[in-house]
Amino acid sequence: MSDILIDHADGVLTLTLNRVEKKNAFTQAMYTTLADALDAAATDATTRVVVIQGHATVFSAGNDLRDFLSGPPISGDGASPVQRFIAAMAQFPKPVLAAVCGPAVGIGTTMLFHCDLVYAGDNAAFSMPFVNLGLCPEAGSSLLAPRLMGYHRAAEALLMGEPFMAEAALEVGLINRIVPPTEANALAQTQARKLAAKPSASVIETKRLLKQSQAAEVTQRIAEEFSSFGRMLQAPAAREAIAAFTEKRRPDFSGL
Ligand code: COA
């Protein structure tokens, strides 16, 4: 079974994260599949709305930490799988809906800043633990989190890296609605079909106008973050954090 399930019906492209045994941690292959699907959907007239969803128990544990070691995930030309995926999300012209239940770690949360509507199970737990991994924010989150949540809440989320639950995410405006976990994917599908039935040109123009004031800034910040992220990934703190994860122990950052 593929790690990304792709379904197309009623104008809605649904991308389901399907690596539940590894908590839907993103591999480079998964980013490539998602980026390819989004790139094709951007110009495919039969796709009017995209839904990204996970499982009722988990949205995503973020980047696969073992995959980080198998090859540099960031390339200077911006063409690595994760860079392609984030660019596709940030620039996607049609509505993207997400259904999030359980843990949404790292890019599992930061990708939501690029979604238009987010529905969450009451078990959703959002976290951006980049500092705990010796890394820094990505996907434009250093710009978009403070803009959405206010500086101090964004600083707490990005510096402390602790999870915040669905109620807190609703309060800061990261998500639209909280439902029982078994209903999140169905709600996203219902809303997606409602949107897909609306006049496509109006929907696309509305999204463009909503996003245009910060589009260039977001692109620039994403590039700046990836540059730092790629450098920090090679540094001792991240090496220690990833080794600790694979060895199932606490990291030791003393002296780092
Ligand atoms: N990369 C690689 N493998 C991961 C992973 C990740 N980001 N997250 C989870 N997994 C794997 C675990 O190693 C484990 O594999 P195993 O069964 O072969 O040992 C399996 O998925 C289940 O994970 P587990 O930690 O036992 O599940 P849990 O329900 O106790 O906890 C999380 C879920 C998401 C809270 C926890 O897995 C976690 O914190 N993961 C790391 C998140 C992270 O730091 N992501 C990077 C952000 S940049």
Side-chain angles (χ1 to χ4, degrees), residues 19 21-23 25 61-66 68 103 105-107 129-130 133 135 229 245 248:
R19 195 182 176 224
E21 74 286 359
K22 295 292 183 189
K23 304 291 169 185
N63 204 104
D64 187 298
L65 289 168
R66 290 177 188 86
F68 264 154
V105 187
I107 201 163
F130 304 113
L133 293 164
L135 297 168
F229 195 99
F245 177 79
K248 298 187 189 289

Side-chain angles (χ1 to χ4, degrees), residues 4 15 17 26 29-39 52 85 88:
I4 304 286
L15 305 169
L17 310 178
F26 287 100
M30 289 164 73
Y31 288 128
T32 297
T33 302
L34 291 168
D36 287 348
L38 289 170
D39 287 350
I52 301 179
F85 170 61

Side-chain angles (χ1 to χ4, degrees), residues 15 19 25 46 93 140 176 197 216-217 221 226 242 247:
L15 305 169
R19 195 182 176 224
T46 68
N176 291 84
E217 231 181 330
R221 183 65 62 92
F226 272 138
I242 294 169
E247 293 160 17

